[in-house]
Amino acid sequence: MAPAPQHEHAAGLPAFPDPAAADPALAAFLQQASEQLSHWWATAGLRPPLPSLSVLPEVPPRAQGLSADALLENLQLVMDGAYNPCHPGALAHLDPPPLTASVAADLIAAGLNNNLLAEELSPSLTRLERCLTAWLAARLGLGQGAGGVAASGGSLSNLMALVVARHQAGLQGRADALVFCSADAHVSIGKALAVMGLPADALRPLPVDGRGCLEVEALAGALQAAEAAGRPVLAVVATAGTTVRGAVDPIAAMADLCRRHGIWLHVDGAIGAVFALVEAHAHRVPDLGLADSLTVNPQKLLGITKTSSLLLLRRPELLAQCFGTGLPYMEPSWADAHGGECGLQGTRPAEILKLWLGLHQLGLDGVEAVLTGAVQRRRRLQQLLDPLPLELRGGPLHLLAFTPRGLSPAEADRWSGHTRQQLLERQLMLSRPLHAGRHHLKAVLGNPYTGEAQLQAIAACVADSLSPLAAPVHP
Ligand SMILES: Cc1ncc(COP(=O)(O)O)c(C=O)c1O
C-alpha cells in the first residue's frame, strides 16, 4: 500500500506530487493556474505595458499554509502588477512576449526538477543540452566539434567567456591584462572584468564610426600600442547587436587582427546572433563563426522564456579545462564533463528544454518569420520618423534610437523624459537610454503584435513633441 501523503494541507492541494496516483486537486490547481495565465495574456491589450503601482499580497508566510484558492488569488495580485510584454505598445526593451511552447517547457522543467549540475541528476536533459548547443554552434558557423553550455543570462555568458579567455591565455593573476571592445559594448563586459578582479581601466573602450561599429583602425593601433608597452591582452570583444542601436561590429577584420596577435575573440551576440540561424538574415551578422566564443540570448528576440542564454565555443572542451573541479561528490561523467564543470553555475535548471521546444514550435521558417517581422517593423518606424528633425540611430537589426537634432544634453534629457511620458499615456512604452552623451528614445521592435497603428502613433507623438522645440525662442 502506498504511504499516506505527507504535508497535505486542509484544502487538499498536496505539497508534493503523489508518486502512486493522479491527484485531482493537484491537476485542478495546475489547470486553474494555467487558466489564470491564459486570461492574463488574453486581456493584455486592456492593460498598459507598464502598470501603475499595484497591491502586493501578504509577504511573510503564515503559520498555517493557505488554500489553493487563496494561493491563486495572491498570485493574481502579483500578476496584476507585472510588466505586460504582450501589449502591442510594449517596445521599450529586449523583452518580447513569451513564446508559448517555451512556457509549457518551463513548467515541465520545473516539474521534472532535474539538475544540470550532473548527468545522474538530468540524464536526458544533459544530452539534450550537449546536442542542441553543438547543433546551434555549428549552425552559427563555429564548426563541427563546437558546442557550449546554457547560462542564466547574457551577462553570465559574457563573464564565463572572458574567464575562459584568460585561462587560455595563461593570464590569471595578471592585473595588467587588457580587454578591448567598442564604446557601445554592453555594461556586462566591464562588470565581468570587475568580478575577475581587474582594475576599471583594464577595459579599453574604442571609438565607433557613424553606424555605431567599432573602428578597426583604432583596434589595430591599440593592439600595437599594448604590445609595445608589454601589456598582455586577455581578449577582444566584438558586439553583434549593440544594446541601443543594434550595430554589428566588423567581426572579420577584428578576427584577423586577433589571429595576428594571438588574442581570443569573444563575440557578444546576445542580441544579434539569432539572426544567423536562418539564411535570409545571416548577412545582418556576418562572420560569427570566426569567434572563439559567442554569447547568444534566445530570451530576447525569439521570446524563449527567461532566462535563456548560451555560451558557445569553437572548442567547448576548454570550458571544463577552465571550470572543472572534479565534482568529488558525484559519479564520474559519462561523457567529457558534467554540466556543473562547464561553467560558473553548479545547480542549474534545465533551461535547454524551453529553447529546444521553442525552436521546434517555430521551425526554421517560423524563426525566419519572427526575424523578418521585427526588421520590417524597425524599417517602417524608421520610414515614419525619417522626415522629422531627428538623429536616427539604427542598424541592420530591430532596434531604433533617436533624439532631436541640435539639443544640448540637458535639453535632450528633458525632451526624452517628457516624450516618454506622453507615449506612456498613449500606452506606448519606449526606453530612454543615455547614449553618446545624450538621452535618446529607443524602440525595440521584437513584439509581433506591434502593428501599423502603434508605429503611426509613435511617429505622431514624436512629431508633436518636436513642435515646441522648433518654436522661436523669445528673449
Ligand atoms: C549586447 C548585450 N549583451 C549582453 C547583455 C546582457 O544580457 P542579460 O541581461 O541576459 O544578462 C545585454 C542585455 O541587454 C545586451 O544588450
Side-chain angles (χ1 to χ4, degrees), residues 200-363:
D201 69 354
L203 185 63
R204 300 293 168 96
L206 296 169
V208 295
D209 64 19
R211 295 167 306 136
C213 309
L214 179 140
E215 282 183 9
V216 179
E217 292 300 305
L219 178 61
L223 291 177
Q224 241 163 24
E227 207 165 83
R231 298 288 298 267
V233 179
L234 187 161
V236 166
V237 177
T239 308
T242 54
T243 311
V244 173
R245 62 184 298 175
V248 178
D249 284 340
I251 294 170
M254 293 172 75
D256 189 44
L257 284 171
C258 286
R259 216 173 299 115
R260 276 195 257 150
H261 289 267
I263 295 168
W264 185 280
L265 177 66
H266 173 61
V267 175
D268 178 0
I271 295 177
V274 291
F275 284 88
L277 286 175
V278 292
E279 219 178 300
H281 290 286
H283 65 278
R284 301 181 190 283
V285 284
D287 307 311
L288 294 184
L290 300 175
D292 293 296
S293 54
L294 173 65
T295 292
V296 188
N297 264 25
Q299 73 194 13
K300 297 200 190 295
L301 185 49
L302 295 185
I304 307 296
T305 53
K306 294 172 190 64
T307 51
S308 178
S309 177
L310 304 169
L311 174 61
L312 303 176
L313 285 90
R314 201 125 44 89
R315 296 175 57 203
E317 68 278 9
L318 299 183
L319 286 167
Q321 284 176 25
C322 176
F323 295 110
T325 58
L327 266 184
Y329 51 94
M330 284 291 164
E331 288 300 304
S333 162
W334 306 324
D336 300 330
H338 285 303
E341 301 280 80
C342 296
L344 281 166
Q345 289 172 277
T347 288
R348 259 190 314 126
E351 297 185 13
I352 204 68
L353 192 65
K354 58 198 177 182
L355 175 57
W356 166 76
L357 204 69
L359 288 173
H360 279 261
Q361 176 186 17
L362 288 174

